[in-house]
Amino acid sequence: MAGNSQRKGAVRKSAKKGPQVGSGGQRRKGLEGRGPTPKATERTGHPAARRANRDSKADRPRPQRRGGTRASSEIVAGRNSVLEALRTQVPASTLYVASRIDSDDRVREAIALASEQGIALLETPRGELDRLTDGAVHQGLALQVPPYDYAHPDDLLAAQLPGVPLIVALDGITDPRNLGAIIRSVGAFGGHGVVVPARRSAGMTAAAWKTSAGAAARIQVAQATNLTQALKDYRKAGCFVIGLDADGEVELPGLELADQPLVVVIGSEGKGLSRLVRETCDQVVSIPMAAVTESLNAGIAGAVTLYEIARLRRS
């Protein structure tokens, strides 16, 4: 019994807590202060710190991209469409020809034109052509058109082209054929380039290239992330901005700004100019027409306006 009590006492004695040899004063260091409490905005994970981080990111200036947004590549399908695109020298990267195709004059001419223009020829199984054309009627021929490399709106003034600057901006025009026709008119009447919005607007598709009848190869097309802001920047650079509208306060033949650096804004045939764009214009100009005609197609309105500006500048 005595032996057992001695052993129990020994156990209780060894279980007592106390300073251990070699602790290095860790308990004393733990009692030392850690300095002032950091501010809420400096504490990782605190809501105030997250808000401050978001605010600082919002205040940073965002880099401006010089070029516009690049659209996805386009596939032109069908023998007639492919041949017409090659005849008008639409920029293309690859001509896909179905394996064991029933050749005719259109196929032979398409292959010859692609070879002359340095376009790659690729023999492709019909199943792969079906996939590339998304099930369209391709008749064994398909042409890949790469994304258009848009300019920045500022580039149209920096091009150092002859004559007084004349730029056309499109507001809400979604038909690529209208875009191509306007590019053709810009080239014919000494314009310096065309600006299109990045959203809700026609882009440089194969249809626009074909309608431009080759003018798209020498007339720059710029893409603006915000058309209203691009127009304001043109005004700061010394240009006057005029918009075309049937209710304009100035008629085109009496345009006194014709000899000044100009940006002509053409709206859609149905809706006309958007509110913000209209408010940005220095003048809103109308084309006089007979009462029987309510409005002009955007491409025709652009051609008439550019011709009249060119005529006024020569007089």
Side-chain angles (χ1 to χ4, degrees):
M1 294 291 291
N4 289 339
S5 62
Q6 289 177 356
R7 284 196 295 272
K8 289 179 181 179
V11 170
R12 285 196 297 271
K13 186 176 181 181
S14 63
K16 288 183 179 181
K17 295 181 180 180
Q20 299 177 0
V21 179
S23 65
Q26 293 177 3
R27 293 171 60 85
R28 186 169 59 252
K29 290 182 180 179
L31 297 175
E32 295 177 355
R34 298 182 180 179
T37 302
K39 298 178 181 179
T41 55
E42 299 174 354
R43 293 161 62 183
T44 304
H46 195 281
R50 290 196 291 268
R51 285 194 298 271
N53 188 37
R54 286 196 300 267
D55 293 342
S56 64
K57 288 182 178 180
D59 292 338
R60 295 174 190 166
R62 296 183 180 181
Q64 296 294 320
R65 188 171 183 264
R66 294 302 301 172
T69 305
R70 292 177 65 88
S72 58
S73 60
E74 180 184 4
I75 297 292
V76 178
R79 298 189 182 188
N80 288 335
S81 298
V82 168
L83 183 55
E84 185 181 357
L86 290 169
R87 284 173 175 173
T88 54
Q89 297 187 350
V90 172
S93 56
T94 307
L95 175 64
Y96 296 97
V97 183
S99 303
R100 297 188 298 276
I101 188 174
D102 294 330
S103 182
D104 61 9
D105 291 342
R106 293 170 297 175
V107 173
R108 287 189 286 271
E109 185 179 353
I111 293 175
L113 288 173
S115 300
E116 292 173 7
Q117 297 173 23
I119 298 171
L121 294 172
L122 187 61
E123 187 176 358
T124 309
R126 285 190 174 270
E128 180 64 12
L129 266 183
D130 293 339
R131 186 191 67 80
L132 284 172
T133 59
D134 198 20
V137 181
H138 52 72
Q139 301 172 302
L141 281 186
L143 187 68
Q144 185 173 29
V145 180
Y148 182 78
D149 190 12
Y150 291 98
H152 188 276
D154 293 347
D155 297 338
L156 303 186
L157 288 179
Q160 301 297 325
L161 295 175
V164 181
L166 177 59
I167 297 170
V168 175
L170 307 187
D171 181 22
I173 294 178
T174 57
D175 189 342
R177 291 170 297 183
N178 273 332
L179 171 58
I182 290 169
I183 293 172
R184 187 174 184 179
S185 297
V186 169
F189 299 117
H192 291 64
V194 177
V195 180
V196 297
R199 296 180 295 275
R200 296 185 293 276
S201 175
M204 283 304 297
T205 63
W209 272 96
K210 288 187 288 185
T211 310
S212 75
R218 60 182 186 277
I219 298 297
Q220 281 189 305
V221 178
Q223 196 174 64
T225 304
N226 185 317
L227 180 60
T228 303
Q229 185 58 52
L231 296 177
K232 291 178 179 178
D233 292 340
Y234 280 135
R235 291 181 66 185
K236 292 177 182 177
C239 294
F240 288 95
V241 177
I242 64 171
L244 295 185
D245 196 280
D247 298 326
E249 62 268 15
V250 178
E251 288 194 349
L252 182 60
L255 181 61
E256 297 180 355
L257 297 176
D259 59 344
Q260 301 296 317
L262 278 183
V263 179
V264 180
V265 188
I266 304 174
S268 64
E269 184 177 349
K271 298 180 180 179
L273 300 173
S274 61
R275 180 182 60 84
L276 291 177
V277 167
R278 187 185 183 101
E279 292 173 355
T280 308
C281 293
D282 295 294
Q283 286 185 349
V284 179
V285 180
S286 63
I287 300 173
M289 295 181 294
V292 70
T293 304
E294 294 183 0
S295 63
L296 293 175
N297 169 274
I300 296 174
V304 170
T305 302
L306 292 171
Y307 165 76
E308 182 62 17
I309 290 174
R311 188 189 69 81
L312 291 171
R313 286 184 172 183
R314 288 195 301 267
S315 61

